[in-house]
Amino acid sequence: MNVQDIDRARFVEEWKEWHRAKEETLAGPHGFLAITGLHWLSPEPARFEDAPGSWSVTADGVVVELAEGEELTVDGAVVRGRYGFGIVPERDSRYADWGDARLEVARRGGHDILRPRHPDSTLRTSFRRTPAYAPDPRWVVTARFLPFEEPRPVTVGAAVEGLEHVYDSPGQVEFELAGVRHRLTAFNGKEPGGLMVLFTDSTSGVTTYAANRSLQTAAPGPGGTVTLDFNRAGNLPCAYTDLATCPLPPAGNHLPVAIEAGERIPLERGGQP
């Protein structure tokens, strides 16, 4: 795709809509900014200030024991006493409502966790916006998807020290910037057949979040063509809160150039407007 081929006014408006929708999800009543605790569950029952009940992990999965007068709502039904969430698959989540709060039961890096989400969280109520570079069509790059013969499991670190994630990588994306060829390991993306690329570059820790940047793409087109729109390089939740377990980029996914596009360091982390 050439810069000349892009309708700039439409390009900017579409980027603004992407950024607005991302901010809306992040700062929603039960978005990541509403999380008040990251509780690691174990076979030993434990209570937490921001959730009712006593929580533990059993052979049948996560269980909560609700005391007299305590209740949760799960899938529209009120539950009391002992309730089992079952075995939660890796990277999956299940939810229960408690008043205006939502409790997330999840499994990350082989560990069961509880993350209460309260709309009155200070991080959420004080949130203003995420600064970003002005959208610029020159950061839209045509790449080529290089699929592996079989998906390869790739182990990556996490925003939480000592935690690891394992993702299946379907292949790599190859592209050129300023005449230099680069390759990045890709994971499966949100869209069917789409890709997700986690990376860092020379702006990381300077104007963009140090640990990771995330870029989603549509499914590869004919000949494996992939469009990398670095204007949509976004922050993961760990850029805003220490209560996230976000993956770090795979080894080798560092670009030795400054990608001055996409979302910048959040104001909450010392970023500049």
Side-chain angles (χ1 to χ4, degrees):
M1 180 182 295
N2 295 321
V3 172
Q4 293 83 356
D5 298 332
I6 297 176
D7 180 330
R8 288 178 178 268
R10 181 178 178 184
F11 176 80
V12 170
E13 285 306 309
E14 289 180 348
W15 179 89
K16 287 181 177 179
E17 174 58 25
W18 166 81
H19 190 51
R20 183 204 61 76
K22 193 169 179 294
E23 297 273 85
E24 188 175 85
T25 299
L26 176 72
H30 301 124
F32 262 91
L33 298 184
I35 293 177
T36 55
L38 173 57
H39 307 304
W40 302 89
L41 305 180
S42 74
E44 186 67 27
R47 295 186 67 92
F48 309 104
E49 291 183 354
D50 50 358
S54 179
W55 298 79
S56 62
V57 179
T58 72
D60 296 321
V62 175
V63 169
V64 61
E65 291 276 2
L66 298 166
E68 186 175 352
E70 294 180 329
E71 63 181 35
L72 295 173
T73 301
V74 181
D75 295 330
V78 174
V79 299
R80 301 182 180 90
R82 181 183 176 89
Y83 181 81
F85 288 87
I87 296 175
V88 181
E90 182 68 31
R91 287 192 290 279
D92 201 357
S93 297
R94 292 173 186 168
Y95 298 93
D97 289 333
W98 178 45
D100 63 356
R102 178 158 294 167
L103 311 181
E104 178 191 14
V105 177
R107 189 169 179 82
R108 299 292 184 269
H111 300 274
D112 293 296
I113 61 174
L114 172 67
R115 282 193 294 209
R117 300 173 183 233
H118 290 259
D120 61 357
S121 159
T122 301
L123 184 60
R124 176 178 180 269
T125 57
S126 63
F127 178 72
R128 290 175 286 168
R129 63 184 179 85
T130 301
Y133 284 100
D136 187 336
R138 73 188 180 90
W139 289 110
V140 180
V141 178
T142 299
R144 186 164 63 102
F145 177 56
L146 305 174
F148 298 137
E149 290 187 8
E150 296 288 340
R152 297 178 184 177
V154 177
T155 300
V156 298
V160 175
E161 187 175 355
L163 191 69
E164 290 185 333
H165 298 284
V166 180
Y167 291 88
D168 283 339
S169 170
Q172 297 178 316
V173 290
E174 182 181 70
F175 56 97
E176 286 190 5
L177 283 175
V180 179
R181 190 176 300 273
H182 305 277
R183 280 191 185 184
L184 297 174
T185 296
F187 297 124
N188 294 316
K190 292 180 180 179
E191 294 185 15
L195 302 172
M196 175 184 72
V197 178
L198 299 174
F199 71 98
T200 55
D201 64 88
S202 295
T203 70
S204 299
V206 182
T207 57
T208 63
Y209 184 57
N212 51 26
R213 306 182 73 187
S214 175
L215 180 60
Q216 298 277 342
T217 80
T225 300
V226 175
T227 298
L228 301 178
D229 184 354
F230 284 105
N231 295 283
R232 301 195 183 195
N235 291 327
L236 291 177
C238 56
Y240 303 87
T241 175
D242 293 334
L243 304 178
T245 61
C246 305
L248 301 181
N253 272 29
H254 175 76
L255 297 173
V257 294
I259 305 296
E260 296 179 323
E263 294 184 331
R264 299 166 64 115
I265 298 172
L267 301 176
E268 294 77 10
R269 299 286 199 180
Q272 299 301 308

